[in-house]
Amino acid sequence: MNFFGIFIGIATLFVIGLGFVWVIRGERYFGYLWWPYVMGLGILLVVGSLFLANDWASGMVGAIGASLVWGSTEFKEQAVRAELGWFPFREKKILPPGAGTIKKWPAPHL
Amino acid sequence: MSMMELNVTGLAAALAAFLGIWWGHVAVRIIEARLTDIRPAMIIAVLLGLGMWTGALLTSWMPLSAALGIFGVTLLWDGYEFYRQEKRIKIGHAPANPHNPRHARILAAYPSATTVDLLNRDPVGRPVDAEEAARLVAEH
């Protein structure tokens, strides 16, 4: 019996659960235009996981990277949710470098 | 470790997590909108999740065990998401399907329920009231 997969599955559930928290807080204070940076960091983590020999470390870094990529696609809808009053709205955002350019790109959502 | 010995456990975990969350979101929304009773879908999702977990237990290859373990957990969560999606329909946070008799009953019983997907637009950077929210979606 190999319990590795079930344990990493349960750990991933907590990583995804944490995703709800940072997407909500991150959008509130920083705004959805950070999405390319979050997506890029997630992809870097997934690539980095290839170079970790330990299965637990590789698996968790990969799952955290995937959660960052998914979260980056949730930012835009979260910004709309806050505007609708479903979450607290904060007008002042700490914008990312290149915010003007990023705004012209279609923000991903799945 | 040389370049030839890349550990694909993390890549397998990442693909399973991303695709599991993505397809789970899409599948729950589509299936919940069409079913007149969500309970069979909840049971099937849980059984599929437990099936994936059984597979994770039985394989000794770590990347496959990780992928099945993560797919399993997303499917188990999807079982619960059918219930949460119905709650979103009731409060108007997800659009109701008026052609589904269960949703039609929700639309009749809950004034907050709506057929409009209020999230289907770009952010405008300020709070919007109900009237403007509907207009922004219509213009999108």
Coordinates of all heavy atoms in Angstrom, one line a residue, chain B residues 47-128:
Chain B
L47 N -17.8 8.5 -5.2 CA -17.3 7.2 -5.6 C -16.1 7.2 -6.5 O -15.1 6.5 -6.4 CB -18.4 6.4 -6.2 CG -19.6 6.0 -5.3 CD1 -20.7 5.3 -6.1 CD2 -19.1 5.1 -4.2
L48 N -16.1 8.2 -7.5 CA -15.0 8.4 -8.4 C -13.8 8.8 -7.6 O -12.6 8.3 -7.8 CB -15.3 9.4 -9.4 CG -16.2 9.0 -10.6 CD1 -16.6 10.2 -11.5 CD2 -15.5 7.9 -11.4
G49 N -13.9 9.7 -6.6 CA -12.8 10.1 -5.8 C -12.2 9.0 -5.0 O -11.0 8.8 -4.9
L50 N -13.1 8.1 -4.4 CA -12.6 7.0 -3.6 C -11.9 6.0 -4.6 O -10.9 5.3 -4.2 CB -13.7 6.3 -2.9 CG -14.3 7.2 -1.7 CD1 -15.5 6.5 -1.1 CD2 -13.3 7.5 -0.7
G51 N -12.4 5.9 -5.8 CA -11.8 5.0 -6.8 C -10.3 5.5 -7.1 O -9.4 4.7 -7.2
M52 N -10.2 6.8 -7.3 CA -8.9 7.4 -7.6 C -8.0 7.1 -6.4 O -6.8 6.8 -6.6 CB -9.0 8.9 -7.7 CG -9.8 9.3 -9.0 SD -8.8 9.3 -10.4 CE -10.0 9.6 -11.7
W53 N -8.5 7.3 -5.2 CA -7.7 7.0 -4.0 C -7.2 5.6 -3.9 O -6.1 5.3 -3.4 CB -8.4 7.5 -2.7 CG -8.2 8.9 -2.4 CD1 -7.6 9.8 -3.2 CD2 -8.5 9.6 -1.2 NE1 -7.5 11.0 -2.6 CE2 -8.0 10.9 -1.3 CE3 -9.0 9.2 0.0 CZ2 -8.1 11.9 -0.3 CZ3 -9.2 10.1 1.1 CH2 -8.7 11.4 0.9
T54 N -8.1 4.7 -4.3 CA -7.7 3.2 -4.3 C -6.6 3.0 -5.3 O -5.6 2.3 -4.9 CB -8.9 2.4 -4.7 OG1 -10.1 2.7 -3.9 CG2 -8.7 0.9 -4.6
G55 N -6.7 3.7 -6.4 CA -5.6 3.6 -7.4 C -4.3 4.1 -6.9 O -3.2 3.6 -7.1
A56 N -4.4 5.3 -6.1 CA -3.2 5.9 -5.5 C -2.5 5.0 -4.5 O -1.3 4.9 -4.4 CB -3.6 7.2 -4.8
L57 N -3.4 4.2 -3.8 CA -2.8 3.2 -2.8 C -2.1 2.1 -3.5 O -1.1 1.5 -3.0 CB -4.0 2.7 -2.0 CG -4.5 3.5 -0.9 CD1 -5.7 2.8 -0.3 CD2 -3.5 3.8 0.2
L58 N -2.6 1.7 -4.7 CA -2.1 0.5 -5.3 C -0.9 0.6 -6.3 O -0.3 -0.3 -6.6 CB -3.3 -0.2 -6.1 CG -4.5 -0.7 -5.2 CD1 -5.6 -1.3 -6.1 CD2 -4.0 -1.7 -4.2
T59 N -0.6 1.9 -6.6 CA 0.5 2.1 -7.5 C 1.8 2.4 -6.7 O 1.7 3.1 -5.7 CB 0.2 3.2 -8.6 OG1 1.4 3.3 -9.4 CG2 0.0 4.5 -8.0
S60 N 2.9 1.9 -7.1 CA 4.1 2.2 -6.4 C 4.9 3.4 -7.1 O 5.9 3.9 -6.6 CB 5.0 1.0 -6.3 OG 5.3 0.5 -7.6
W61 N 4.4 3.8 -8.3 CA 5.1 4.9 -9.0 C 4.6 6.2 -8.4 O 3.4 6.5 -8.5 CB 4.8 4.8 -10.5 CG 5.7 5.7 -11.3 CD1 7.0 5.9 -11.2 CD2 5.3 6.5 -12.4 NE1 7.4 6.8 -12.1 CE2 6.4 7.2 -12.9 CE3 4.0 6.8 -13.1 CZ2 6.4 8.1 -13.9 CZ3 4.0 7.7 -14.1 CH2 5.2 8.3 -14.6
M62 N 5.5 6.9 -7.8 CA 5.1 8.1 -7.0 C 4.4 9.2 -7.8 O 3.4 9.7 -7.3 CB 6.4 8.7 -6.3 CG 7.0 7.8 -5.3 SD 5.7 7.3 -4.1 CE 6.7 7.2 -2.6
P63 N 4.8 9.5 -9.1 CA 4.1 10.5 -9.8 C 2.6 10.1 -10.0 O 1.7 11.0 -9.9 CB 4.9 10.6 -11.1 CG 6.2 10.2 -10.8 CD 6.1 9.1 -9.8
L64 N 2.4 8.9 -10.3 CA 1.0 8.4 -10.6 C 0.2 8.4 -9.3 O -1.0 8.8 -9.2 CB 1.0 7.0 -11.2 CG -0.4 6.5 -11.6 CD1 -1.1 7.4 -12.6 CD2 -0.3 5.1 -12.1
S65 N 0.9 8.0 -8.2 CA 0.2 8.0 -6.9 C -0.2 9.4 -6.5 O -1.3 9.6 -6.0 CB 1.1 7.4 -5.8 OG 0.5 7.3 -4.6
A66 N 0.7 10.4 -6.7 CA 0.4 11.8 -6.4 C -0.8 12.3 -7.2 O -1.7 12.9 -6.7 CB 1.6 12.6 -6.6
A67 N -0.7 12.0 -8.5 CA -1.8 12.5 -9.4 C -3.1 11.9 -9.0 O -4.1 12.6 -8.9 CB -1.5 12.2 -10.9
L68 N -3.2 10.6 -8.7 CA -4.5 10.0 -8.4 C -4.9 10.5 -7.0 O -6.1 10.7 -6.8 CB -4.3 8.4 -8.4 CG -4.1 7.8 -9.8 CD1 -3.8 6.3 -9.6 CD2 -5.4 8.0 -10.6
G69 N -4.0 10.7 -6.1 CA -4.4 11.2 -4.8 C -5.0 12.6 -4.8 O -6.0 12.9 -4.2
I70 N -4.4 13.4 -5.7 CA -4.9 14.8 -5.8 C -6.2 14.8 -6.6 O -7.2 15.5 -6.2 CB -3.8 15.7 -6.5 CG1 -2.7 15.9 -5.5 CG2 -4.4 17.0 -6.9 CD1 -1.4 16.5 -6.1
F71 N -6.3 14.1 -7.7 CA -7.6 14.0 -8.5 C -8.7 13.5 -7.5 O -9.8 13.9 -7.6 CB -7.4 13.0 -9.7 CG -7.1 13.6 -11.0 CD1 -6.1 13.1 -11.8 CD2 -7.8 14.8 -11.4 CE1 -5.8 13.7 -13.0 CE2 -7.5 15.4 -12.6 CZ -6.5 14.8 -13.4
G72 N -8.3 12.5 -6.7 CA -9.3 11.9 -5.8 C -9.8 13.0 -4.8 O -11.0 13.1 -4.6
V73 N -8.9 13.8 -4.3 CA -9.4 14.8 -3.3 C -10.2 15.8 -4.0 O -11.2 16.3 -3.4 CB -8.2 15.4 -2.5 CG1 -7.6 16.6 -3.2 CG2 -8.5 15.6 -1.1
T74 N -9.9 16.2 -5.3 CA -10.7 17.2 -5.9 C -12.1 16.6 -6.3 O -13.1 17.4 -6.2 CB -10.0 17.8 -7.2 OG1 -9.9 16.7 -8.2 CG2 -8.7 18.4 -7.0
L75 N -12.2 15.4 -6.6 CA -13.5 14.8 -6.9 C -14.3 14.7 -5.6 O -15.5 14.9 -5.6 CB -13.3 13.4 -7.5 CG -13.0 13.4 -9.0 CD1 -12.4 12.0 -9.4 CD2 -14.3 13.6 -9.7
L76 N -13.7 14.3 -4.4 CA -14.4 14.3 -3.2 C -14.9 15.7 -2.9 O -16.1 15.8 -2.4 CB -13.5 13.8 -2.1 CG -13.1 12.3 -2.1 CD1 -12.0 12.0 -1.1 CD2 -14.3 11.4 -1.9
W77 N -14.1 16.7 -3.1 CA -14.6 18.1 -2.9 C -15.7 18.5 -3.8 O -16.6 19.2 -3.4 CB -13.4 19.0 -3.0 CG -13.8 20.4 -2.5 CD1 -14.2 21.4 -3.3 CD2 -13.8 20.9 -1.2 NE1 -14.5 22.5 -2.5 CE2 -14.3 22.2 -1.2 CE3 -13.5 20.3 0.1 CZ2 -14.4 23.0 0.0 CZ3 -13.6 21.1 1.2 CH2 -14.1 22.4 1.2
D78 N -15.6 18.0 -5.1 CA -16.7 18.3 -6.0 C -18.0 17.8 -5.6 O -19.0 18.4 -5.8 CB -16.3 17.7 -7.4 CG -15.2 18.4 -8.1 OD1 -14.9 19.6 -7.8 OD2 -14.6 17.8 -9.0
G79 N -18.0 16.7 -4.9 CA -19.3 16.1 -4.3 C -19.9 17.2 -3.4 O -21.1 17.4 -3.5
Y80 N -19.1 17.9 -2.6 CA -19.6 18.9 -1.7 C -19.9 20.2 -2.5 O -20.9 20.9 -2.2 CB -18.5 19.2 -0.6 CG -18.8 20.3 0.3 CD1 -20.1 20.4 1.0 CD2 -17.8 21.3 0.6 CE1 -20.3 21.5 1.8 CE2 -18.1 22.3 1.5 CZ -19.3 22.4 2.1 OH -19.6 23.4 3.0
E81 N -19.2 20.4 -3.6 CA -19.4 21.6 -4.4 C -20.8 21.6 -5.1 O -21.3 22.7 -5.3 CB -18.3 21.8 -5.4 CG -17.0 22.5 -4.9 CD -17.2 23.9 -4.5 OE1 -18.1 24.6 -5.0 OE2 -16.5 24.4 -3.6
F82 N -21.4 20.5 -5.4 CA -22.7 20.4 -5.9 C -23.7 21.1 -5.0 O -24.5 21.9 -5.4 CB -23.2 19.0 -6.2 CG -22.6 18.4 -7.5 CD1 -21.6 17.5 -7.4 CD2 -23.0 18.9 -8.7 CE1 -21.0 16.9 -8.6 CE2 -22.5 18.3 -9.9 CZ -21.5 17.4 -9.8
Y83 N -23.5 20.8 -3.7 CA -24.4 21.4 -2.7 C -24.1 22.9 -2.6 O -25.0 23.8 -2.5 CB -24.1 20.7 -1.3 CG -24.6 21.4 -0.1 CD1 -26.0 21.4 0.2 CD2 -23.8 22.1 0.7 CE1 -26.5 22.1 1.3 CE2 -24.2 22.8 1.9 CZ -25.6 22.8 2.1 OH -26.0 23.4 3.3
R84 N -22.8 23.3 -2.6 CA -22.4 24.7 -2.5 C -22.9 25.5 -3.7 O -23.3 26.7 -3.6 CB -20.9 24.9 -2.4 CG -20.4 24.2 -1.1 CD -19.1 24.7 -0.5 NE -18.3 25.5 -1.3 CZ -17.5 26.5 -0.8 NH1 -17.5 26.8 0.4 NH2 -16.7 27.1 -1.6
Q85 N -22.9 24.9 -4.9 CA -23.3 25.6 -6.1 C -24.8 25.9 -6.0 O -25.2 26.9 -6.4 CB -23.0 24.7 -7.3 CG -23.4 25.3 -8.7 CD -22.6 26.5 -9.1 OE1 -21.6 26.9 -8.4 NE2 -23.0 27.2 -10.1
E86 N -25.6 24.9 -5.5 CA -27.0 25.2 -5.4 C -27.3 26.3 -4.4 O -28.2 27.2 -4.7 CB -27.7 23.9 -4.8 CG -29.2 24.0 -4.9 CD -29.9 22.8 -4.3 OE1 -29.8 22.5 -3.1 OE2 -30.6 22.1 -5.1
K87 N -26.4 26.5 -3.4 CA -26.6 27.6 -2.5 C -26.2 28.9 -3.2 O -26.9 29.9 -2.9 CB -25.6 27.4 -1.2 CG -26.3 26.6 -0.1 CD -25.5 26.3 1.1 CE -24.9 27.5 1.8 NZ -24.2 27.1 3.0
R88 N -25.2 28.9 -4.1 CA -24.8 30.1 -4.8 C -26.0 30.5 -5.7 O -26.2 31.7 -5.9 CB -23.6 29.8 -5.7 CG -22.3 29.7 -4.9 CD -21.1 29.6 -5.9 NE -20.0 29.1 -5.2 CZ -19.5 27.8 -5.3 NH1 -20.1 27.0 -6.2 NH2 -18.6 27.4 -4.5
I89 N -26.7 29.5 -6.3 CA -27.9 29.8 -7.2 C -28.9 30.6 -6.3 O -29.5 31.5 -6.8 CB -28.5 28.5 -7.8 CG1 -27.4 27.7 -8.5 CG2 -29.7 28.8 -8.6 CD1 -26.9 28.3 -9.8
K90 N -29.1 30.1 -5.1 CA -30.2 30.7 -4.2 C -29.9 32.1 -3.9 O -30.8 33.0 -3.9 CB -30.3 29.8 -3.0 CG -31.0 28.5 -3.2 CD -31.0 27.7 -1.9 CE -31.7 26.3 -2.2 NZ -31.5 25.4 -1.0
I91 N -28.6 32.4 -3.7 CA -28.3 33.8 -3.3 C -27.9 34.7 -4.5 O -27.5 35.8 -4.3 CB -27.2 33.9 -2.2 CG1 -25.9 33.2 -2.7 CG2 -27.6 33.2 -0.9 CD1 -24.7 33.4 -1.7
G92 N -28.0 34.1 -5.7 CA -27.7 34.9 -6.9 C -26.2 35.1 -7.2 O -25.9 35.9 -8.0
H93 N -25.4 34.3 -6.6 CA -23.9 34.4 -6.9 C -23.5 33.5 -8.1 O -22.4 33.5 -8.5 CB -23.1 34.0 -5.6 CG -23.1 35.1 -4.6 ND1 -22.2 35.1 -3.6 CD2 -23.9 36.2 -4.5 CE1 -22.4 36.2 -2.8 NE2 -23.4 36.8 -3.3
A94 N -24.4 32.7 -8.6 CA -24.2 32.0 -9.8 C -25.6 32.0 -10.5 O -26.6 32.0 -9.9 CB -23.8 30.5 -9.5
P95 N -25.6 32.0 -11.9 CA -26.8 32.1 -12.6 C -27.7 30.8 -12.6 O -27.2 29.7 -12.8 CB -26.4 32.4 -14.1 CG -25.0 31.9 -14.2 CD -24.4 31.9 -12.8
A96 N -29.0 31.0 -12.4 CA -29.9 29.9 -12.4 C -30.3 29.6 -13.9 O -30.3 30.5 -14.7 CB -31.2 30.3 -11.6
N97 N -30.6 28.3 -14.1 CA -31.1 27.9 -15.4 C -32.6 27.7 -15.4 O -33.1 26.8 -14.8 CB -30.4 26.5 -15.8 CG -31.0 25.9 -17.0 OD1 -31.7 26.5 -17.8 ND2 -30.7 24.6 -17.1
P98 N -33.3 28.7 -16.0 CA -34.8 28.7 -15.8 C -35.4 27.4 -16.5 O -36.6 27.1 -16.2 CB -35.3 29.9 -16.6 CG -34.1 30.3 -17.5 CD -32.9 29.8 -16.8
H99 N -34.7 26.7 -17.4 CA -35.3 25.5 -18.0 C -35.1 24.3 -17.1 O -35.7 23.2 -17.4 CB -34.5 25.3 -19.3 CG -34.6 26.4 -20.3 ND1 -35.8 26.9 -20.7 CD2 -33.6 27.3 -20.8 CE1 -35.5 28.0 -21.5 NE2 -34.2 28.2 -21.5
N100 N -34.4 24.4 -16.0 CA -34.3 23.3 -15.0 C -35.4 23.5 -14.0 O -35.4 24.5 -13.3 CB -32.9 23.4 -14.4 CG -32.6 22.2 -13.4 OD1 -33.6 21.8 -12.8 ND2 -31.4 21.9 -13.2
P101 N -36.3 22.5 -13.8 CA -37.4 22.7 -12.9 C -36.9 23.0 -11.4 O -37.5 23.8 -10.7 CB -38.1 21.4 -12.9 CG -37.7 20.7 -14.2 CD -36.4 21.3 -14.5
R102 N -35.8 22.4 -11.0 CA -35.3 22.7 -9.7 C -34.8 24.1 -9.6 O -35.1 24.8 -8.6 CB -34.1 21.7 -9.4 CG -33.5 21.9 -8.0 CD -32.4 20.8 -7.7 NE -31.5 20.7 -8.8 CZ -30.4 21.5 -8.9 NH1 -30.1 22.4 -8.0 NH2 -29.6 21.3 -10.0
H103 N -34.1 24.6 -10.6 CA -33.7 26.0 -10.6 C -34.9 27.0 -10.7 O -34.9 28.1 -10.1 CB -32.7 26.3 -11.7 CG -31.3 25.9 -11.4 ND1 -30.2 26.3 -12.1 CD2 -30.8 25.1 -10.4 CE1 -29.1 25.8 -11.6 NE2 -29.5 25.1 -10.5
A104 N -35.9 26.6 -11.5 CA -37.1 27.4 -11.7 C -37.8 27.5 -10.3 O -38.3 28.6 -9.9 CB -38.1 26.7 -12.7
R105 N -37.8 26.5 -9.5 CA -38.4 26.6 -8.1 C -37.6 27.5 -7.3 O -38.2 28.3 -6.5 CB -38.5 25.2 -7.5 CG -39.6 24.3 -8.0 CD -39.9 23.1 -7.1 NE -38.7 22.2 -6.9 CZ -38.4 21.2 -7.8 NH1 -39.2 21.0 -8.8 NH2 -37.3 20.5 -7.6
I106 N -36.3 27.4 -7.4 CA -35.4 28.4 -6.6 C -35.7 29.8 -7.1 O -35.8 30.7 -6.2 CB -33.9 28.0 -6.9 CG1 -33.6 26.6 -6.2 CG2 -33.0 29.1 -6.3 CD1 -32.2 26.1 -6.5
L107 N -35.8 30.0 -8.4 CA -36.1 31.4 -8.9 C -37.4 31.9 -8.3 O -37.5 33.1 -8.0 CB -36.1 31.4 -10.4 CG -34.8 31.4 -11.1 CD1 -34.9 31.0 -12.6 CD2 -34.0 32.7 -11.0
A108 N -38.4 31.0 -8.1 CA -39.7 31.5 -7.6 C -39.6 31.7 -6.1 O -40.3 32.6 -5.6 CB -40.7 30.4 -7.9
A109 N -38.8 31.0 -5.4 CA -38.8 31.0 -3.9 C -37.8 32.0 -3.4 O -37.9 32.5 -2.3 CB -38.5 29.6 -3.4
Y110 N -36.7 32.3 -4.1 CA -35.6 33.2 -3.6 C -35.5 34.4 -4.4 O -35.1 34.4 -5.6 CB -34.3 32.4 -3.6 CG -34.2 31.3 -2.6 CD1 -34.7 30.0 -3.0 CD2 -33.6 31.4 -1.4 CE1 -34.6 29.0 -2.1 CE2 -33.6 30.4 -0.5 CZ -34.1 29.1 -0.9 OH -34.0 28.1 0.0
P111 N -35.9 35.6 -3.9 CA -35.8 36.9 -4.6 C -34.4 37.2 -5.0 O -34.2 37.9 -6.0 CB -36.4 37.9 -3.6 CG -37.1 37.1 -2.6 CD -36.5 35.8 -2.5
S112 N -33.4 36.7 -4.3 CA -32.0 37.0 -4.6 C -31.5 36.2 -5.9 O -30.5 36.5 -6.5 CB -31.1 36.6 -3.4 OG -31.4 35.3 -2.9
A113 N -32.2 35.1 -6.2 CA -31.8 34.2 -7.3 C -31.9 35.0 -8.7 O -32.9 35.8 -8.8 CB -32.5 32.9 -7.4
T114 N -31.1 34.7 -9.6 CA -31.1 35.5 -10.9 C -30.6 34.5 -12.0 O -29.9 33.6 -11.8 CB -30.2 36.7 -10.9 OG1 -30.1 37.3 -12.2 CG2 -28.8 36.4 -10.4
T115 N -31.0 34.9 -13.3 CA -30.5 34.1 -14.4 C -29.2 34.8 -15.0 O -28.6 34.3 -16.0 CB -31.5 34.0 -15.5 OG1 -32.0 35.3 -15.9 CG2 -32.7 33.2 -15.1
V116 N -28.8 35.9 -14.4 CA -27.7 36.7 -14.9 C -26.4 36.2 -14.3 O -26.4 36.1 -13.0 CB -27.9 38.2 -14.7 CG1 -26.7 39.0 -15.2 CG2 -29.2 38.7 -15.4
D117 N -25.3 36.0 -15.1 CA -24.0 35.7 -14.5 C -23.3 37.1 -14.2 O -22.7 37.7 -15.1 CB -23.2 34.9 -15.5 CG -21.8 34.5 -14.9 OD1 -21.5 34.9 -13.8 OD2 -21.1 33.9 -15.6
L118 N -23.4 37.5 -13.0 CA -22.9 38.9 -12.6 C -21.4 39.0 -12.7 O -20.9 40.1 -12.6 CB -23.5 39.2 -11.2 CG -25.0 39.4 -11.1 CD1 -25.4 39.5 -9.7 CD2 -25.4 40.7 -11.9
L119 N -20.7 37.8 -12.8 CA -19.3 37.9 -12.8 C -18.7 38.0 -14.2 O -17.5 38.2 -14.4 CB -18.7 36.6 -12.2 CG -19.0 36.4 -10.7 CD1 -18.4 35.1 -10.2 CD2 -18.5 37.6 -9.9
N120 N -19.6 37.9 -15.2 CA -19.2 37.8 -16.6 C -18.9 39.2 -17.2 O -19.6 39.7 -18.1 CB -20.2 37.1 -17.5 CG -19.7 36.9 -18.9 OD1 -18.5 36.8 -19.1 ND2 -20.7 36.8 -19.8
R121 N -17.9 39.9 -16.7 CA -17.5 41.2 -17.1 C -16.1 41.6 -16.6 O -15.5 40.8 -15.8 CB -18.5 42.3 -16.7 CG -18.5 42.5 -15.1 CD -19.3 43.7 -14.8 NE -19.5 43.9 -13.3 CZ -18.6 44.5 -12.5 NH1 -17.5 45.0 -13.0 NH2 -18.9 44.6 -11.2
D122 N -15.5 42.7 -17.0 CA -14.2 43.2 -16.5 C -14.5 44.0 -15.3 O -15.5 44.7 -15.2 CB -13.5 43.9 -17.6 CG -13.0 43.0 -18.7 OD1 -12.5 41.9 -18.4 OD2 -13.1 43.4 -19.9
P123 N -13.5 44.1 -14.4 CA -13.6 45.0 -13.2 C -13.6 46.5 -13.7 O -13.0 46.8 -14.7 CB -12.4 44.7 -12.4 CG -11.8 43.4 -12.9 CD -12.2 43.3 -14.3
V124 N -14.3 47.3 -12.9 CA -14.4 48.8 -13.2 C -13.6 49.6 -12.2 O -13.4 50.8 -12.3 CB -15.8 49.3 -13.4 CG1 -16.4 48.7 -14.7 CG2 -16.7 49.0 -12.2
G125 N -13.2 49.0 -11.1 CA -12.4 49.6 -10.1 C -13.2 50.4 -9.0 O -12.6 51.3 -8.3
R126 N -14.5 50.2 -8.9 CA -15.3 50.9 -7.9 C -16.5 50.0 -7.6 O -16.9 49.2 -8.4 CB -15.8 52.3 -8.4 CG -16.5 52.2 -9.7 CD -16.9 53.5 -10.3 NE -17.1 53.4 -11.7 CZ -18.2 52.8 -12.2 NH1 -19.2 52.3 -11.5 NH2 -18.4 52.7 -13.6
P127 N -17.1 50.2 -6.4 CA -18.3 49.4 -6.0 C -19.4 49.8 -7.0 O -19.5 50.9 -7.4 CB -18.6 49.9 -4.6 CG -17.4 50.6 -4.1 CD -16.7 51.2 -5.3
V128 N -20.2 48.8 -7.3 CA -21.4 49.0 -8.2 C -22.6 48.5 -7.5 O -22.6 47.5 -6.8 CB -21.2 48.3 -9.6 CG1 -20.0 48.8 -10.3 CG2 -21.1 46.8 -9.4

